[in-house]
Amino acid sequence: MRDDRIEPQWIDAFESVLRLCAAQPGETVCLLSESQSRRLNIDLAELAAHRLGCRPFRLEVPTPRQTAPVPVRSTGASRALAGHPSVLAALGASSLILDLTREGLLHAPELRGILASGARVLMVSDEHPDVLERLVPRAEDAAPVKAAVKRLRGAREMRVTSAVGTDLTVAMAGATTAGVWGFTDRPGTIAHWPGGVVVSFPAAGSVAGTLVLAPGDANLTFKRYIEQPVRLTLRDDHVVAVEGEGVDARLMRDYLAAWGDPGAYAVSHVGWGMNRRARREGLLFHDKRDLNGTELRAAAGNFLFSTGANEFAGRFTEGHFDIPVFGCTIALDGEVVVREGALVA
């Protein structure tokens, strides 16, 4: 694996994001990492914080042992904190936390307590800084995502269709909706970089229909593009059939079954990407170890479908798929917000 040196443009990227997060001279900035975190990003974050006159400190915890029956990737639910009281005390005393863990704190059980302390958390996706540099958020990215969140929260139904056979209905009553634009400047909030996505966690019993994955869609848990069609049938929030002749369907069936857990088949969240600078083909340019695939989650106009944990529906599991599906039409109460994979203004 190549050893990358620190580049000034990468420090600039981290500095820009810290400014958007309202980092102030003298402010305590916690650089949270684990033993297998990307060293380069930790160094870049520290140098950028020093440029702004902040007081950064490093807080590193051991990467936990593997306990799942299969490899676990891209869950957004780091197990590295493990409820450690001293670590949580340090995080609670920090007003700004840069989350540089491998999986991130987005769905970690400790997050609620950390945010309750008033900390603002920026989850830096475990990507090579080449990716982060291209996708530095801008102040104007916030407004469209906030508008999409408002529309989703006011909707009664989301319907997703496509030319290849998708016809999926999501009842929005009781759903919990959130948007991420790539930075956070308010106490008690979390964002992730890259950003530009809006998602809803449906209430139990809200999702039914068919989702067809076509060549060029992406399975980000496997970090590979779909090569042959896969047809997912959903009833009562759960995938009840994975049909297809190719390796993609076979791998998905095997991975889901390996968990031995009905929760792995359940819907976690649904939404769409809003970042026009994010690229669908982003997986092609880096080794898998250098990517977390957040760019594809945010790519403008994709329908982001996810299986696995949904705490708002009372379901918890480590099994997880994040699947950006391109070319779909998404309508809220009949009003189209994404048409054939393109954002509607």
Side-chain angles (χ1 to χ4, degrees):
M1 187 174 63
R2 187 181 69 188
D3 252 346
D4 282 306
R5 54 163 269 169
I6 289 173
E7 299 289 352
Q9 63 268 28
W10 295 340
I11 306 175
D12 292 343
F14 274 81
E15 181 184 353
S16 294
V17 178
L18 283 172
R19 287 186 184 277
L20 289 169
C21 291
Q24 301 297 315
E27 182 172 17
T28 299
V29 179
C30 176
L31 309 180
L32 175 64
S33 64
E34 58 184 278
S35 50
Q36 287 298 313
S37 288
R38 195 180 301 274
R39 298 285 119 188
L40 181 57
N41 287 352
I42 301 170
D43 291 340
L44 292 167
E46 184 176 66
L47 290 168
H50 278 301
R51 272 191 185 180
L52 295 177
C54 302
R55 300 183 64 192
F57 72 97
R58 299 190 183 204
L59 179 57
E60 182 180 296
V61 294
T63 295
R65 294 175 180 270
Q66 297 187 52
T67 57
V70 287
V72 180
R73 292 291 185 275
S74 300
T75 65
S78 175
R79 296 186 300 111
L81 300 189
H84 196 298
S86 298
V87 172
L88 295 177
L91 294 173
S94 305
S95 56
L96 177 57
I97 299 166
L98 295 191
D99 172 18
L100 294 143
T101 58
R102 292 289 303 278
E103 293 293 329
L105 297 180
L106 195 61
H107 305 301
E110 298 88 354
L111 178 64
R112 182 173 297 182
I114 294 169
L115 296 180
S117 73
R120 57 199 195 280
V121 180
L122 178 68
M123 177 180 149
V124 181
S125 187
D126 184 29
E127 319 273 358
H128 192 280
D130 260 349
V131 178
L132 299 174
E133 179 195 354
R134 281 192 299 104
L135 296 170
V136 171
R138 301 170 183 171
E140 60 267 27
D141 293 343
V145 178
K146 289 179 180 179
V149 169
K150 184 177 181 179
R151 294 177 80 177
L152 261 177
R153 287 176 177 169
R156 297 183 302 276
E157 180 186 89
M158 175 192 292
R159 187 176 179 198
V160 185
T161 57
S162 75
V164 295
T166 290
D167 193 348
L168 193 68
T169 300
V170 183
M172 298 302 294
T176 298
T177 298
V180 179
W181 43 88
F183 60 92
T184 176
D185 56 3
R186 292 187 297 113
T189 58
I190 184 170
H192 58 72
W193 170 31
V197 65
V198 58
V199 296
S200 290
F201 294 82
S206 300
V207 186
T210 301
L211 179 65
V212 179
L213 312 181
D217 295 334
N219 183 327
L220 294 181
T221 302
F222 295 162
K223 295 182 184 176
R224 61 177 273 140
Y225 290 101
I226 300 294
E227 296 180 355
Q228 293 174 283
V230 180
R231 185 182 185 89
L232 306 179
T233 303
L234 290 100
R235 285 199 298 268
D236 192 27
D237 290 347
H238 289 69
V239 176
V240 296
V242 180
E243 299 171 284
E245 299 300 321
V247 65
D248 301 293
R250 174 65 183 272
L251 291 175
M252 289 186 71
R253 285 193 294 266
D254 288 353
Y255 188 79
L256 287 167
W259 289 98
D261 178 3
Y265 291 83
V267 175
S268 175
H269 58 73
V270 294
W272 66 89
M274 301 192 67
N275 191 331
R276 298 181 188 275
R277 302 185 299 280
R279 300 298 306 179
R280 172 182 183 174
E281 65 272 22
L283 290 183
L284 297 172
F285 298 97
H286 293 278
D287 294 336
K288 284 188 176 183
R289 186 176 176 85
D290 283 337
L291 289 170
N292 192 41
T294 304
E295 177 170 11
L296 276 76
R297 294 170 172 89
N302 88 82
F303 171 59
L304 183 58
F305 174 79
S306 175
T307 62
N310 179 349
E311 61 184 288
F312 306 101
R315 297 191 292 261
F316 301 90
T317 180
E318 281 190 285
H320 184 74
F321 278 129
D322 259 350
I323 305 173
V325 185
F326 299 90
C328 291
T329 293
I330 304 172
L332 302 179
D333 297 334
E335 182 181 357
V336 174
V337 292
V338 175
R339 189 183 304 280
E340 297 179 357
L343 294 176
V344 174

